[in-house]
Structure formats: structure tokens, C-alpha cells
Amino acid sequence: DLFVVGRWDKVIEFAERVHRGTAARFSGEGITISGGMAIVNPKFPIAKAAEMAGEAEAKAKSFVCAEGASKNAFCMFGKTVSWKDEFDYVKAYKDRFVRLISDYQLSKGILHKLMLYAAVAERNRWQKKHGKPENFSYVWHLSYYLARYKKRYEKNDEVQMLCNQLKDKNLFQSNDRQLELVALAAR
């Protein structure tokens, strides 16, 4: 077991290095790595932070990915991702967002909208689970927002490609999980 204290971005990088190093060294032996991260301010009691990180780790250990495998996951910002495919997916989108913001002055508004629509999709899952009516307005709102955003950056091929990919993946229609992962990257 490891307990690490540090800046949130460095903790994520460290967790990834531990996972990759363990996977490379013990591949084929059925060893999995699960971890959790809690974000607190510097004056927060360390014992309580450790308890919160333990709860996030427990969430990762109980995670079952789409392929049916369990564990081998990392919980960050309250969301659990499998190390197998999802972590790299989130990281790739995060890197892309950072690059577009720094190199092409992409407005951060798109990041907030992706997080908002993912939250609505999550609320829908809760509504469905509790037998209440769902609100699918986020499907057309996100589609409309991406079309307007694309038009706003019509001279920027990189932003055009991003908007096209987000729409083409049907993030908001067929697979709320992908929308959730992209929103995690946006965060």
C-alpha cells in the first residue's frame, strides 16, 4: 500500500507511473493496481484526507469496467476510470484540451459545457434508477452548442476537428460513459 501527499497533478502522474511500472514488471501475473485520490486544502487534517483517499481507493477496487473486469482502476475527482483503456483516453483528451487552449486560444467555455452536460447525463441515470422521468434536452443542447462553437472557430482546423469528433462519437446519444470520460478530461 502507498499513501502519497502532493499536488493533485503530480499525484496523478505518480499513480500512472506506479501502474505502468507494475504492469510492465508483473504482466501476466494477474496483479492489478487500484488507487484513489482526494483533493483537500493544505490545512486540512491529514488523517481525514487519508480516510477520503481510502474511500476513493475502495471505489476503484469495486469498479467494474465495460469488459467486465474488476479493480485495476483509479478514482480521481470522484470518478473512476479503468487503467486498461479509459485512463489513456481521458489523458489524451486532457492533453488535447490543454494544447488547444494554449496554442489556439480555445475558449474554456467548451470545457465547462462538457462537464455540465455530463452532469445532466449522470442525473438522468439517477432519475432512471429511481423511476423518475429523464431529461434528454442535453442531447440537443450539446449538439447545438458544438455546432455554434464550431462556427465560432471556423478558421481553426484543430477546433473544427475536435467538434466533429465529439459529435461523430455520439458522446451524448449512445454512450454516456464516453461523455463522462471527456468531461473528466475537461476537468
Side-chain angles (χ1 to χ4, degrees), residues 89 93 97 114 166 171 177-186:
Y89 182 85
Y93 264 102
F97 290 142
L114 289 167
L166 291 174
L171 293 177
R177 181 63 177 168
Q178 286 202 328
L179 176 57
E180 183 179 0
L181 295 174
V182 170
L184 181 59

Side-chain angles (χ1 to χ4, degrees), residues 29-98:
E29 296 186 31
I31 295 176
T32 62
I33 298 289
S34 296
M37 180 176 87
I39 298 177
V40 298
N41 69 41
K43 297 189 186 268
F44 197 82
I46 195 75
K48 181 67 177 161
E51 183 181 315
M52 292 166 62
E55 290 167 4
E57 178 192 20
K59 195 172 173 184
K61 284 184 176 185
S62 66
F63 180 74
V64 178
C65 69
E67 296 84 29
S70 61
K71 298 185 178 182
N72 207 28
F74 186 64
C75 182
M76 57 184 162
F77 307 112
K79 302 292 180 194
T80 304
V81 295
S82 78
W83 285 116
K84 185 174 180 194
D85 297 314
E86 294 179 335
F87 183 86
D88 289 337
Y89 182 85
V90 170
K91 184 178 177 184
Y93 264 102
K94 184 270 303 178
D95 291 343
R96 190 173 185 187
F97 290 142
V98 168

Side-chain angles (χ1 to χ4, degrees), residues 93 97 106-122 138 142-143 145-146 149 162-163 166-167 171-172 176 178-187:
Y93 264 102
F97 290 142
L106 178 76
S107 166
K108 294 178 186 173
I110 193 170
L111 306 180
H112 298 287
K113 288 292 186 181
L114 289 167
M115 291 185 286
L116 171 72
Y117 296 130
V120 174
E122 185 174 342
Y138 76 96
L142 181 53
S143 183
Y145 179 80
L146 288 172
Y149 202 83
L162 172 68
C163 290
L166 291 174
K167 285 181 77 172
L171 293 177
F172 42 90
D176 285 342
Q178 286 202 328
L179 176 57
E180 183 179 0
L181 295 174
V182 170
L184 181 59
R187 189 158 178 203

